[in-house]
Amino acid sequence: MTKTFNRRAPIFLSYALLAFTALTGSLSAYAQAAGPTYPVKPIKLIAPVAAGGGLDNIARAVAEKLSRSIGQPVIVENMGGGGGSIASQATAKAPADGYTLMIAYVGTHGTNPAVRRLPYDAIKDFTPIGMIGATPNVLIINPELPIKNFSEFVAYAKKNPAKLSYGSAGPGTLTHLGMEQLKLAAGIFMVHVPYRGVGPAYTDLLAGQTQAMFPTLFAALPYITTNRVRGLAVTGAKRSPAAPTIPTFKELGYNGFDGQQWYGVVGPANLPPAIVSKLNTELNKVLATPEFSEKMTSEAMTLMPMTPTQFATYIKEDIARWAKVAKDRNIELE
């Protein structure tokens, strides 16, 4: 019997080999794009403030733990100025590859977008990765006032509308909008005295030049514990373990006072889902470590692990919250 030799077989085999090579190459490229090996180099974590202070401390604590968890250095870069807008712009314009991240907070992604025209869009220009946590705000007063609790404060303010003024860290900040929300809800009047930062506002409150303030609990705790100011009420759903004797506004019959000084991690828009998922998982691992939890608790912060979707919703709701306060109080800043 004569055997027939198929001359086309080597050609078919060559085509098959080429197709297989192309397919495996495509799958490899896809897998690499999806980020299974991410990260392969150091990650930059932008802190939208100058070095030192609460937000910078949080950024460095997160960076240290995250570096160990993901196996690559996470380097904090301080980029202050413009109320966080400089850092936000830099983050928004960075490549969407997961190597430039930022600590977002209530200023960059809450109050500022609600009251100012910004050079970035807090929703469209970023990819939410995860929440870190929040510290409540607290209503404090100069202890020389004849006021012992919140109900007495409201009564005093109504009876003496020209005698109370409050300081803030500046127009449109949480210390300003939070107090304006309270004035509206309680039906009271106080003169707003804006400062360039919270430090000078504290100086005048302690000296009696102003009578009230609405700062973060963490910043107020040293003054509360030494009786240099009196804490009357805190924001949030429940009392803070750092100041368990101070009631929440909700306990006092004032709903909607959930505004807090919060912190989270974001990246540029359109980060690959696989990278977002990995970063969220690793961030939540950091939040779950006892050492990190103890450090944040010592700073009056409640940790709030979230999925990227939950964090995105939180940001949108926070902007809407402060936009409503700004509209109700006719606050609009350039």
Side-chain angles (χ1 to χ4, degrees):
M1 176 180 289
T2 304
K3 293 184 180 180
T4 303
F5 179 72
N6 187 350
R7 297 178 181 274
R8 294 184 179 181
I11 298 175
F12 288 145
L13 287 173
S14 297
Y15 280 140
L17 182 60
L18 285 171
F20 177 76
T21 302
L23 176 62
T24 54
S26 297
L27 289 173
S28 175
Y30 174 80
Q32 196 167 20
T37 58
Y38 169 86
V40 296
K41 63 180 182 179
I43 296 171
K44 178 167 64 177
L45 180 62
I46 297 176
V49 293
L55 192 154
D56 182 55
N57 291 338
I58 292 167
R60 293 182 186 281
V62 169
E64 178 189 358
K65 293 294 183 186
L66 205 55
S67 295
R68 298 179 189 175
S69 178
I70 65 177
Q72 287 288 344
V74 179
I75 302 166
V76 175
E77 180 177 325
N78 294 93
M79 198 176 293
S85 65
I86 294 175
S88 296
Q89 288 182 82
T91 304
K93 293 176 181 178
D97 56 8
Y99 292 100
T100 299
L101 308 175
M102 186 183 90
I103 298 290
Y105 74 109
V106 67
T108 58
H109 286 71
T111 54
N112 280 348
V115 300
R116 299 179 187 276
R117 295 177 182 175
L118 299 172
Y120 64 89
D121 188 306
I123 302 297
K124 296 179 181 178
D125 292 344
F126 300 88
T127 300
I129 292 167
M131 175 72 96
I132 299 171
T135 180
N137 279 56
V138 57
L139 173 63
I140 58 175
I141 60 170
N142 185 294
E144 297 299 318
L145 287 174
I147 296 168
K148 300 299 182 185
N149 54 51
F150 181 76
S151 61
E152 291 182 3
F153 172 78
V154 173
Y156 184 88
K158 288 182 176 180
K159 189 181 250 187
N160 303 277
K163 288 188 177 182
L164 291 180
S165 62
Y166 76 93
S168 78
T173 62
L174 187 59
T175 52
H176 173 209
L177 296 181
M179 194 68 93
E180 290 300 315
Q181 182 186 24
L182 175 59
K183 286 166 60 176
L184 186 64
I188 59 177
F189 174 79
M190 286 183 287
V191 175
H192 175 214
V193 183
Y195 294 84
R196 289 193 171 185
V198 74
Y202 266 113
T203 298
D204 275 6
L205 174 65
L206 297 174
Q209 298 300 314
T210 57
Q211 291 72 45
M213 197 173 165
F214 208 19
T216 65
L217 179 60
F218 171 64
L221 269 178
Y223 302 105
I224 293 173
T225 55
T226 55
N227 298 315
R228 299 178 70 190
V229 300
R230 183 171 294 132
L232 301 183
V234 295
T235 61
K238 58 184 180 179
R239 295 191 185 198
S240 170
T245 61
I246 302 178
T248 65
F249 283 95
K250 187 174 182 178
E251 287 179 67
L252 300 168
Y254 287 77
N255 292 318
F257 282 79
D258 303 320
Q260 303 179 91
Q261 180 80 15
W262 58 262
Y263 308 90
V265 179
V266 300
N270 303 315
L271 281 182
I275 289 178
V276 176
S277 178
K278 182 175 179 64
L279 286 170
N280 178 263
T281 298
E282 298 302 330
L283 176 62
N284 287 340
K285 284 182 185 177
V286 169
L287 303 188
T289 60
E291 183 183 352
F292 186 84
S293 178
E294 289 172 11
K295 179 175 177 59
M296 293 300 103
T297 299
S298 70
E299 299 194 9
M301 180 182 289
T302 299
L303 298 181
M304 301 168 63
M306 295 182 184
T307 66
T309 300
Q310 289 170 332
F311 186 35
T313 299
Y314 186 95
I315 291 172
K316 290 177 183 177
E317 290 178 349
D318 207 49
I319 293 173
R321 177 205 319 279
W322 300 120
K324 183 179 185 307
V325 172
K327 182 179 179 181
D328 291 343
R329 304 301 292 176
N330 297 314
I331 300 169
E332 186 175 354
L333 307 172
E334 292 296 330

